[in-house]
Amino acid sequence: MTTAPGQVSVAQQGLRHPLDPDPARATKARAVFALGLLGMLTGLFIGGVVPATVALQLARQARREAYASGGFLTGSVWLRRGEWMAWAGLLLVAVSVVAAVVIGVVRLAGTPFGHDYPTNMD
């Protein structure tokens, strides 16, 4: 059962051809993990948006490449963990932005509006 022309069926698993490459870990998987970790660690400081977003984009590319390689690219565990950390970093960014907005609104509500004249003026 093939899904597109030129793809190898998942059901066909037999002896490996001698010219097939050895399974290797995808280099993007390690980059996704590192960027996800960086995004999670810097998420509260709002700087985690950039590495987390890049990690999620790289994860999409790495998954496509791993699927196209027919099982010769490994590292799906690193990809999954990196994606989870990137999403956690984006969640921390959202929490810190909401907290900053709430603090700003509360401080703005406590300040007097308009010009405050001295008591001896009408």
Side-chain angles (χ1 to χ4, degrees), residues 1 20-22 29 43 52 57-58 73 96 106 110:
M1 170 172 131
D20 283 343
D22 290 329
Q57 290 298 320
L58 275 178
L73 285 177
S96 63
V106 168

Side-chain angles (χ1 to χ4, degrees), residues 98-111:
V98 167
V101 167
V102 168
I103 290 171
V105 167
V106 168
R107 285 191 181 189
L108 184 65
T111 60

Side-chain angles (χ1 to χ4, degrees), residues 34-115:
L35 287 169
L37 181 65
L38 185 65
M40 188 177 71
L41 291 177
T42 59
L44 283 177
F45 306 113
I46 304 178
V49 169
V50 174
T53 306
V54 172
L56 292 174
Q57 290 298 320
L58 275 178
R60 282 184 60 200
Q61 292 175 5
R63 287 207 188 279
R64 268 189 260 131
E65 289 174 3
Y67 181 75
S69 72
F72 293 113
L73 285 177
T74 62
S76 64
V77 174
W78 287 84
L79 278 174
R80 206 170 348 171
R81 289 178 184 161
E83 282 178 317
W84 278 104
M85 286 190 288
W87 282 113
L90 289 176
L91 180 70
L92 288 172
V93 167
V95 166
S96 63
V97 167
V98 167
V101 167
V102 168
I103 290 171
V105 167
V106 168
R107 285 191 181 189
L108 184 65
T111 60
F113 184 72
H115 189 47

Side-chain angles (χ1 to χ4, degrees), residues 13-18 20:
Q13 292 180 356
L15 296 175
R16 226 176 89 187
H17 191 271
D20 283 343

